[in-house]
Amino acid sequence: MKVWKDRALLEHYLHIHRIESVFHEQIVPHLSLYGFDRGELVCSQGDPFQYLYVLVKGKVKVYTTSAEGKTLILSFRTPLEVVGDIEYVQGTDILNTIEAVSSVVMIGVHHRWLKKYAKDYPPLLQFLLRIITQKFAVKSNSLSFNLMYPVEVRLASYLLSVSFDESGSLFTEEPSAIHLMDTANLIGTSYRHLNRVIRQFCKEGLIERHKGCILVKDREGLSALANHNIYEK
């Protein structure tokens, strides 16, 4: 994680996302910019809540882990998204793990400043209410409706989400490394079934597999199969 004290850049992100009014003038001096590299964890399920983050650039993966240690993708999120909002309102530990899928920039503020300056500030509370209600709708779909899709649809959606940034551009870094067991858990299938679907995708020319990495070869084909990506609706 990197921390920037660039006020001009901070004001730029506040302006382009039209959220200047969300933060009370007394809390603005306590806002900072935080950068996370691809694959870096923003927060982990069960960690104590300390910061409220607003995603202003990049893409993150949201997933949950059961008591048995199995993980499941809830969604992939792009700006404007908030991390730590439910935890702030309820005073709980972090509910889900958030991982940077691309290089990510977030505006962050420590909870103690929120409690001191913003606990009764209507613009912030209205902003959080809107974001939280959207999250509950997404979570409901993710835990039930998405699992009703065939594995082919889930895998195609997953590959699109980890291969393209929030603007739809292919990541400039190395092709997406894919760990089959982890990916199988994340999309809710078995290792063997996932392997069969990957071989099928390779045969159909949708992807190319090389040394543990997956390269998307036919984005339009994957998008059509993925119903335009169930994880980012």
Side-chain angles (χ1 to χ4, degrees), residues 102-156:
S102 66
S103 296
V104 161
V105 178
M106 293 190 174
I107 296 173
V109 56
H110 198 280
H111 68 93
R112 67 175 177 271
W113 304 119
L114 291 173
K115 291 179 179 178
K116 184 173 182 177
Y117 295 119
K119 65 177 181 179
D120 296 318
Y121 187 52
L124 176 61
L125 296 179
Q126 291 170 4
F127 174 69
L128 293 179
L129 177 62
R130 185 171 70 253
I131 294 291
I132 289 171
T133 52
Q134 291 172 350
K135 283 186 176 181
F136 278 122
V138 169
K139 186 173 183 179
S140 176
N141 286 336
S142 299
L143 290 178
S144 55
F145 186 59
N146 286 352
L147 285 180
M148 296 171 64
Y149 281 102
V151 172
E152 289 82 358
V153 174
R154 282 178 266 158
L155 178 60

Side-chain angles (χ1 to χ4, degrees), residues 21-41:
S21 63
V22 167
F23 297 103
H24 193 285
E25 61 181 10
Q26 290 180 297
I27 208 170
V28 170
H30 302 289
L31 301 178
S32 297
L33 288 175
Y34 295 84
F36 298 87
D37 294 328
R38 186 181 184 187
E40 189 174 0
L41 294 182

Side-chain angles (χ1 to χ4, degrees), residues 55-72:
L55 175 65
V56 292
K57 182 179 180 182
K59 180 188 290 188
V60 297
K61 175 171 64 180
V62 184
Y63 58 93
T64 187
T65 304
S66 71
E68 295 77 26
K70 291 189 175 182
T71 56
L72 181 68

Side-chain angles (χ1 to χ4, degrees), residues 46-194:
D47 283 352
F49 165 70
Q50 292 186 322
Y51 287 86
L52 181 80
Y53 292 115
V54 180
L55 175 65
V56 292
K57 182 179 180 182
K59 180 188 290 188
V60 297
K61 175 171 64 180
V62 184
Y63 58 93
T64 187
T65 304
S66 71
E68 295 77 26
K70 291 189 175 182
T71 56
L72 181 68
I73 290 176
L74 299 180
S75 62
F76 287 82
R77 306 298 290 171
T78 55
L80 199 62
E81 173 66 3
V82 179
V83 176
D85 44 358
I86 298 174
E87 293 84 350
Y88 168 64
V89 172
Q90 295 188 337
T92 63
D93 293 337
I94 298 295
L95 298 176
N96 301 307
T97 299
I98 314 291
E99 179 183 327
V101 177
S102 66
S103 296
V104 161
V105 178
M106 293 190 174
I107 296 173
V109 56
H110 198 280
H111 68 93
R112 67 175 177 271
W113 304 119
L114 291 173
K115 291 179 179 178
K116 184 173 182 177
Y117 295 119
K119 65 177 181 179
D120 296 318
Y121 187 52
L124 176 61
L125 296 179
Q126 291 170 4
F127 174 69
L128 293 179
L129 177 62
R130 185 171 70 253
I131 294 291
I132 289 171
T133 52
Q134 291 172 350
K135 283 186 176 181
F136 278 122
V138 169
K139 186 173 183 179
S140 176
N141 286 336
S142 299
L143 290 178
S144 55
F145 186 59
N146 286 352
L147 285 180
M148 296 171 64
Y149 281 102
V151 172
E152 289 82 358
V153 174
R154 282 178 266 158
L155 178 60
S157 296
Y158 177 81
L159 291 175
L160 289 170
S161 290
V162 299
S163 299
F164 297 91
D165 64 20
E166 75 275 18
S167 68
S169 299
L170 185 69
F171 289 131
T172 56
E173 295 98 333
E174 292 296 318
S176 300
I178 181 166
H179 302 283
L180 294 188
M181 189 62 72
D182 290 343
T183 301
N185 287 334
L186 284 168
I187 66 173
T189 190
S190 69
Y191 172 88
R192 294 180 66 183
H193 193 175
L194 177 66

Side-chain angles (χ1 to χ4, degrees), residues 156 160 206 218-226:
L160 289 170
L206 297 172
D218 183 358
R219 181 181 180 184
E220 291 185 1
L222 273 185
S223 182
L225 180 60

